[in-house]
Amino acid sequence: MVNLRTHILRVFSFVGLMLFLSACSTYNQSVAPYYKNVSAGNYPQAEKELDKNSLIQAPRNKLLYLMEKGRICHLKGEYENSNNYFNQADQLLDEGLTSASDAAVGVLLNSASQRYKGEDFEKFMIHYYKALNYLYLNKTEDAIVEARRITLQAQEQGDKYNNKDNRYSNDVFSLMLQGMLYESNNDVNNAFISYRNAAEIYLKNPDKTYYGTPMPVELEEDVIRTAKLNGFTTEADQFETTFGIKYEPVKPSEGGELIFFWENGLAPVKTQVDLFFSLIRNSNGDLFFSDAAGGIVVPFNYDGDRNRVNTKSVESLRVAFPKYVAQTPYYSSASISVNNQDAPLIKAEDINELAFKTLQQRALKEMGGILSRLAVKKIAEYSLRAAAKSDGKTNGLLEGLGYGIQLYSLLSEKADTRNWQSLPAYISYARIPLQKGDNQVRITLKNAQGATETKNISIQGTGRLQFYNYATLR
């Protein structure tokens, strides 16, 4: 007859095996057919793969599913459908994705089992695609609403990190986009404010660079130009001095202007790395986690009696932590010409850099939460095993539970490797004057080997400011 301890171990082994098998694959690997088709430009098949994937359709991944659906519909040119999904994503974010039960899941299992709450920069990108969708649907007023929502998103982001300069507390590209949207609606006052706010963020850094993006010359000119249009002569002169340029107004083009966005490559993917920590107590009695080299030290967040914690009972802890891996874009550069006149493409948003830096900024806090969760499980395991051998006798039930917790803790540890991976690696833009009527736009793409490809599109100059985004996602 199988004893109780053996039976408990078999149950936990079975559960642990299921957890281990699920932990072996990352999110990217589990949804690979979808991303493979996105990269190949086969958008209809990509959507089919997305809709039949059980992982991304799990309730905890609803936000991620909605963002991917919005993106793939946008790529297919289904702008109304795209915004239906993005609006649902916005609603989820407005309602909040944090709850006591979800927090408990993170404590008992891992962060990958919690509801996906979105990266900070992903939330800004929702507004980018929604605004473009509305513009393409000729819903200018709705696009302006998205411009205002960018301000609300920026305020929320700033409050989250107390507007610290060393944190991602705003998004410069979104502020630039906001200015463009206001300008497309002939609101040059709000356009100036948006451009100025973006410029001031760049100017806070000595090299005028923000998360891998140098300050575009176009932005400098936009600030001065809209200041002059508003009659803000003093501000225009001050910015000319600050930027070290002398802006000469250009006669507006008869056909208006085109703002062309080039979205290149795909966002980085998350993988899992294993880190090992020990629980130590310093001379003051404070508890800390330290890696073997002592280069990473994290305080132990524990609500119980710290004096009763036996550091020897907490053996080396394995922390499964997410790590971004960049996907090298197939195209290394691009150029654009309109009616045989070249226009420079300037990088405006580096999502690769944002992903790496924002994960780095929150790494210690997240690692502290993971380590504390693992240590609490270890303490519970040690307590059960110690209690099982009291009074010189062995309690099979308690001993079995102790070993079960040990196995469960080991195999349930998994990093959260989810992210919105169909976003581009980076976005560049050009502001191009148009002639009245037909304009021939030629995009020349170059790969790392120097081979080139071209694409031609036709844009009708209407006398207004227009937008066009072009994606190369391989």
Side-chain angles (χ1 to χ4, degrees):
M1 182 175 181
V2 179
N3 63 39
L4 188 58
R5 173 188 166 186
T6 304
H7 179 70
I8 291 172
L9 284 175
R10 285 181 177 178
V11 171
F12 272 103
S13 296
F14 176 76
V15 174
L17 178 61
M18 297 300 100
L19 290 166
F20 175 76
L21 293 174
S22 67
C24 288
S25 62
T26 64
Y27 164 77
N28 177 265
Q29 292 168 333
S30 300
V31 195
Y34 165 66
Y35 291 114
K36 182 178 179 181
N37 280 285
V38 169
S39 180
N42 190 354
Y43 304 138
Q45 184 60 37
E47 187 171 22
K48 290 179 182 178
E49 295 292 347
L50 187 67
D51 287 339
K52 72 180 184 182
N53 188 283
S54 59
L55 173 64
I56 198 169
Q57 292 193 68
R60 70 180 185 276
N61 293 324
K62 187 174 182 179
L63 176 64
L64 193 53
Y65 173 75
L66 292 172
M67 293 192 300
E68 292 290 4
K69 282 289 284 190
R71 176 69 165 135
I72 199 66
C73 286
H74 176 87
L75 289 167
K76 290 171 65 181
E78 298 173 357
Y79 305 122
E80 194 78 55
N81 284 340
S82 176
N83 269 359
N84 285 338
Y85 290 111
F86 282 135
N87 283 330
Q88 291 181 60
D90 255 345
Q91 185 176 352
L92 271 184
L93 290 168
D94 288 342
E95 292 171 352
L97 291 163
T98 303
S99 66
S101 59
D102 190 64
V105 168
V107 172
L108 296 172
L109 288 173
N110 49 57
S111 54
S113 301
Q114 293 179 289
R115 299 174 76 182
Y116 185 71
K117 299 171 183 63
E119 297 284 356
D120 291 332
F121 59 86
E122 293 175 353
K123 299 168 187 176
F124 280 105
M125 291 303 295
I126 290 175
H127 299 302
Y128 166 70
Y129 286 114
K130 282 179 68 177
L132 289 179
N133 286 337
Y134 283 131
L135 289 170
Y136 298 158
L137 292 167
N138 296 313
K139 296 182 177 181
T140 307
E141 289 303 317
D142 289 322
I144 297 304
V145 170
E146 286 308 308
R148 297 190 186 105
R149 286 179 62 84
I150 287 171
T151 297
L152 296 176
Q153 185 69 56
Q155 290 172 348
E156 180 182 325
Q157 189 73 4
D159 291 343
K160 184 177 179 179
Y161 297 116
N162 295 318
N163 294 303
K164 293 180 180 177
D165 291 340
N166 64 339
R167 297 301 298 265
Y168 175 65
S169 56
N170 212 321
D171 188 85
V172 173
F173 172 63
S174 294
L175 291 174
M176 290 165 56
L177 172 69
Q178 184 183 56
M180 297 169 190
L181 293 171
Y182 282 131
E183 202 174 345
S184 71
N185 200 40
N186 298 316
D187 184 353
V188 292
N189 182 62
N190 276 320
F192 166 71
I193 293 170
S194 299
Y195 292 141
R196 182 196 62 193
N197 291 343
E200 288 179 346
I201 292 174
Y202 276 114
L203 292 172
K204 287 180 180 179
N205 301 306
D207 59 356
K208 295 196 298 186
T209 298
Y210 188 77
Y211 288 94
T213 306
M215 184 173 180
V217 175
E218 284 279 6
L219 174 60
E220 296 178 352
E221 295 178 350
D222 287 339
V223 173
I224 300 169
R225 177 175 51 80
T226 52
K228 289 179 179 290
L229 287 173
N230 281 292
F232 303 153
T233 307
T234 302
E235 287 88 343
D237 292 343
Q238 288 174 345
F239 277 111
E240 283 186 335
T241 301
T242 300
F243 299 145
I245 63 174
K246 183 63 178 176
Y247 176 76
E248 296 295 337
V250 179
K251 182 181 178 181
S253 300
E254 188 180 18
E257 289 182 292
L258 173 69
I259 294 179
F260 181 91
F261 295 111
W262 177 42
E263 303 170 5
N264 190 34
L266 285 170
V269 302
K270 279 181 185 173
T271 187
Q272 177 175 303
V273 293
D274 289 339
L275 305 173
F276 295 88
F277 289 82
S278 298
L279 182 63
I280 59 175
R281 190 191 304 272
N282 65 14
S283 57
N284 296 325
D286 298 320
L287 293 167
F288 296 89
F289 298 103
S290 175
D291 66 336
I296 305 176
V297 179
V298 183
F300 180 23
N301 300 315
Y302 182 54
D303 295 330
D305 186 352
R306 291 170 174 251
N307 294 322
R308 298 185 64 181
V309 175
N310 183 349
T311 55
K312 293 181 180 179
S313 70
V314 183
E315 303 145 12
S316 181
L317 299 176
R318 178 182 69 87
V319 175
F321 203 73
K323 175 186 177 182
Y324 276 112
V325 177
Q327 304 185 78
T328 304
Y330 177 77
Y331 298 109
S332 56
S333 64
S335 59
I336 185 171
S337 65
V338 180
N339 304 323
N340 297 317
Q341 295 294 316
D342 293 336
L345 276 166
I346 305 170
K347 187 166 69 169
E349 182 86 305
D350 192 328
I351 291 175
N352 270 341
E353 185 78 3
L354 280 171
F356 281 94
K357 287 293 177 64
T358 53
L359 178 60
Q360 183 182 40
Q361 287 172 3
R362 67 174 191 268
L364 282 180
K365 180 180 179 181
E366 289 196 3
M367 198 173 292
I370 295 171
L371 283 165
S372 295
R373 181 187 74 228
L374 293 175
V376 168
K377 290 179 182 178
K378 273 291 182 184
I379 292 168
E381 170 204 331
Y382 178 80
S383 298
L384 284 170
R385 289 165 64 180
K389 297 180 179 180
S390 61
D391 300 326
K393 299 179 181 180
T394 299
N395 185 313
L397 174 61
L398 293 179
E399 186 179 31
L401 286 172
Y403 281 108
I405 290 175
Q406 180 185 35
L407 183 63
Y408 175 79
S409 179
L410 174 67
L411 297 178
S412 65
E413 179 59 12
K414 180 181 181 180
D416 187 356
T417 55
R418 297 170 293 178
N419 67 306
W420 186 3
Q421 291 173 15
S422 66
L423 286 177
Y426 59 86
I427 301 173
S428 301
Y429 81 111
R431 189 166 183 141
I432 308 163
L434 299 174
Q435 65 186 17
K436 195 75 173 177
D438 186 63
N439 293 263
Q440 292 302 310
V441 180
R442 182 183 180 89
I443 306 134
T444 303
L445 305 163
K446 182 182 290 187
N447 65 17
Q449 288 71 45
T452 60
E453 298 176 30
T454 61
K455 178 178 174 63
N456 297 295
I457 59 175
S458 179
I459 300 290
Q460 293 298 308
T462 63
R464 297 180 60 85
L465 185 61
Q466 299 184 64
F467 296 79
Y468 190 96
N469 66 316
Y470 179 67
T472 52
L473 302 180
R474 59 173 170 152

